[in-house]
Amino acid sequence: MPLGYAAVEPTSYVPNVPDGTLLSLDFSFVIYTQDGSSSAVYDRFELYLDDGTGSHLVYADGRADSTVSCDFWYRLPESGWREASIDLTQAGVTQSQLVDFRGKMVTVSFQNWNRYDGYFNTLTYLDDVKLVVGQ
């Protein structure tokens, strides 16, 4: 695994739907990691949306305990796929950072990060990415 990050970054127009209409970016993923913290200084999977005003972190996931092992890969979730749904009318990781992406060209950046040191690696499998509009 390389140090740094790997990313998939498609760009698409987000429909300008009326208030109350479902508008989400849905996807499934599996993380394999040797690292042991989900904080921003360690390895994790992150999703950014860039609407031309800057890149906004809207989702992050990783292992939350401190156990690390170069000899063992941890799988998140332990079985199946983790599913995520990002509301594009109010996306962000905190209430103060919410952004409405309706009616904008947006670059979606799915990022797999290997941070801090070169010992504990992380990789992410991504599947079933879709824009959901309406019911």
Side-chain angles (χ1 to χ4, degrees):
M1 303 297 141
L3 293 180
Y5 82 102
V8 175
E9 298 180 323
T11 300
S12 184
Y13 177 76
V14 176
N16 191 8
V17 300
D19 288 345
T21 302
L22 175 67
L23 180 64
S24 65
L25 176 66
D26 295 359
F27 57 93
S28 300
F29 66 95
V30 175
I31 300 171
Y32 285 93
T33 186
Q34 297 171 320
D35 215 339
S37 174
S38 63
S39 86
V41 297
Y42 294 99
D43 298 4
R44 67 183 188 174
F45 167 66
E46 297 174 352
L47 171 59
Y48 290 84
L49 299 177
D50 188 338
D51 62 356
T53 65
S55 188
H56 307 275
L57 177 64
V58 297
Y59 189 86
D61 200 353
R63 282 190 57 237
D65 59 59
S66 61
T67 303
V68 292
S69 172
C70 286
D71 299 321
F72 187 79
W73 286 90
Y74 299 88
R75 186 183 194 279
L76 300 172
E78 291 182 8
S79 65
W81 290 75
R82 185 162 290 160
E83 296 179 0
S85 182
I86 308 302
D87 180 351
L88 296 176
T89 67
Q90 54 178 356
V93 293
T94 66
Q95 193 69 23
S96 66
Q97 298 172 333
L98 296 181
V99 177
D100 185 347
F101 292 97
R102 290 180 285 188
K104 299 177 181 178
M105 285 298 289
V106 175
T107 298
V108 180
S109 184
F110 296 99
Q111 300 182 2
N112 182 84
W113 281 92
N114 286 293
R115 292 188 175 107
Y116 187 68
D117 57 41
Y119 302 108
F120 307 113
N121 294 304
T122 298
L123 58 93
T124 305
Y125 290 96
L126 182 65
D127 194 22
D128 199 24
V129 178
K130 59 189 167 221
L131 179 66
V132 179
V133 181
Q135 298 284 12

